[in-house]
């Protein structure tokens, strides 16, 4: 029996909150420039950026306080989110009131918002609308939270998973194979798949180390399911869903990313219901597929491009 950990994160708070921009300290009149930000990696495979804070905090990983913490780069998070103990130290001593409903991959949880002031992940200090992660558990060990869409202004970025780097450059060209959901700010779109006679809804989730297909998509396949166990854990550490269905899929194409054969856990997680995808084939695409890809996002227009790099690059005619 194979154990598969999928720390998949999808945030969606109130739509009005999701649309609030961060307040950047950048000089918008400056000449266009490129910023290259190296990415770290946790033992579960999540990509992280170092977030510089305006004051030192204590974390569960260190006995001494620090001004820099690792956070997971998460394209399925509308909000930047920090673990409770760290968020409390950055909230000027004000207690959190957990009365706002947020959605993760596995279900709903209660949270509160706060402004993460003068935070810098490599492009200069900015104020970031953030939420607090309740619960004692850390679903992404080696990090203190997640860097979501609320951290970005009208910027163009490229995530190169093969080179473990994030590039912020206003000159990046982004055609728009996928898009940012206008209400949630998360990366969504359509894929084609061999044997499936209609487009497959997809969520690009860099906060998940494994891909998940819903039962509608799995029901279109005829191969028997192998008996392998998978565990999908929610952001608050409270909801754990188990599946014994792992299915072999093939012929996936998303933009210029082509994946000939891959395994995915079959599970009707809350994210599919929250996005309104319950009755159509849908898939959460995680890092097991994205590891050999590049992703470009234009946070101003909402356009998103994806391409395979080596083995997953699509063959071009002619």
């Amino acid at each position: 029996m194979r154990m598969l950990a999928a720390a998949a994160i999808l945030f969606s708070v109130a739509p009005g909150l999701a649309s609030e921009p961060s307040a950047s300290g950048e000089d918008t009149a400056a000449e266009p420039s490129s910023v290259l930000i190296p990415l770290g990696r946790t033992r579960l495979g999540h990509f992280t950026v170092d977030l510089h804070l305006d004051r030192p905090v204590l974390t569960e990983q260190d006995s001494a306080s620090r001004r820099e913490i690792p956070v997971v780069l998460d394209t399925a998070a509308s909000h930047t989110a920090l673990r409770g103990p760290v968020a409390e130290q950055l909230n000027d001593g004000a207690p959190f009131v957990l009365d706002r409903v947020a959605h993760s991959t596995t279900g709903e949880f209660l949270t509160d918002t706060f402004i993460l002031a003068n935070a810098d992940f490599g492009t200069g200090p900015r104020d970031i609308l953030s939420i607090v992660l309740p619960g004692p558990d850390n679903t992404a060990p080696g990090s203190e939270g997640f860097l979501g869409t609320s951290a970005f202004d009208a910027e163009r970025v490229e995530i190169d998973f093969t080179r473990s780097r994030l590039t912020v450059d206003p000159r990046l060209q982004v055609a728009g194979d996928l898009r940012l959901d206008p209400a949630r700010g998360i990366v969504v779109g359509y894929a084609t798949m061999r044997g499936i006679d209609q487009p497959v809804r997809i969520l690009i989730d860099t906060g998940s180390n494994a891909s998940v297909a819903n039962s509608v998509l799995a029901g279109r396949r005829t191969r028997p399911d192998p008996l392998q166990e998978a565990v999908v854990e929610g952001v608050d550490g409270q909801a754990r869903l188990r599946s014994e269905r792992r299915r072999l899929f093939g012929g996936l194409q998303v933009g210029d990313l082509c994946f000939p054969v891959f395994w995915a856990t079959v599970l009707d997680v809350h994210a599919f219901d929250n996005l309104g995808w319950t009755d159509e084939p849908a898939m959460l695409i995680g890092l097991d597929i994205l590891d050999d890809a590049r992703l470009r996002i234009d946070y101003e227009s909402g356009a998103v491009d994806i391409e395979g790099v080596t083995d997953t690059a699509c063959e071009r005619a002619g």
Side-chain angles (χ1 to χ4, degrees), residues 73 75 77 95 181 202 206 226 244 263 268 293 303:
L73 187 61
T75 57
D181 181 282
I202 58 169
T206 60
E244 292 187 352
W263 290 94
D268 289 322

Side-chain angles (χ1 to χ4, degrees), residues 54-310:
D54 67 351
R55 73 195 73 176
V57 296
L58 286 170
T59 72
E60 67 174 4
Q61 304 174 61
D62 300 284
S63 56
S65 59
R66 54 193 292 186
R67 287 179 175 268
E68 183 179 285
I69 58 173
V71 288
V72 171
L73 187 61
D74 193 351
T75 57
S78 64
H79 286 64
T80 294
L82 296 182
R83 296 183 60 244
V86 171
E88 289 169 3
Q89 297 173 68
L90 297 169
N91 199 37
D92 296 324
F96 288 111
V97 179
L98 303 181
D99 59 356
R100 298 182 183 272
V101 176
H103 299 270
S104 74
T105 297
T106 56
E108 297 179 346
F109 64 97
L110 293 177
T111 187
D112 196 2
T113 60
F114 68 102
I115 298 298
L116 181 58
N118 298 315
D120 183 5
F121 58 87
T123 58
R126 61 184 65 194
D127 294 347
I128 302 175
L129 179 64
S130 305
I131 66 172
V132 59
L133 297 176
D137 296 334
N138 188 349
T139 56
S143 77
E144 294 298 327
F146 300 86
L147 193 75
T149 297
S150 66
F152 297 92
D153 293 326
E155 295 161 316
R156 294 180 182 180
V157 307
E158 178 183 84
I159 309 171
D160 190 330
F161 300 100
T162 62
R163 297 182 179 181
S164 297
R165 70 185 188 189
L166 170 69
T167 302
V168 182
D169 191 336
R171 297 163 296 189
L172 288 170
Q173 299 299 308
V174 187
D177 302 320
L178 306 170
R179 65 182 176 88
L180 289 174
D181 181 282
R184 300 176 177 87
I186 57 179
V187 179
V188 296
Y190 290 94
T192 60
M193 192 176 297
R194 186 170 60 243
I196 307 299
D197 59 2
Q198 69 183 91
V200 177
R201 295 266 196 178
I202 58 169
L203 167 68
I204 302 294
D205 187 356
T206 60
S208 172
N209 58 8
S211 298
V212 179
N214 69 356
S215 58
V216 176
L217 177 59
R220 306 293 175 87
R221 311 296 295 170
T222 58
R223 294 175 182 269
D225 297 327
L227 296 178
Q228 298 179 337
E229 185 176 53
V231 178
V232 179
E233 183 170 326
V235 63
D236 59 357
Q238 304 299 316
R240 294 191 176 195
L241 305 179
R242 293 183 179 271
S243 169
E244 292 187 352
R245 299 180 66 191
R246 290 267 292 163
R247 179 154 284 189
L248 188 65
F249 294 89
L252 173 72
Q253 180 171 355
V254 185
D256 288 325
L257 172 70
C258 291
F259 220 88
V261 178
F262 64 94
W263 290 94
T265 299
V266 178
L267 195 60
D268 289 322
V269 293
H270 173 74
F272 295 133
D273 181 52
N274 183 49
L275 290 167
W277 298 352
T278 304
D279 299 324
E280 52 190 318
M283 188 172 179
L284 182 157
I285 294 183
L287 293 173
D288 50 352
I289 291 178
L290 297 173
D291 257 349
D292 192 47
R294 276 192 294 262
L295 189 68
R296 289 185 173 185
I297 305 173
D298 184 338
Y299 282 99
E300 182 174 27
S301 71
V304 180
D305 280 350
I306 189 170
E307 64 177 345
V309 177
T310 55

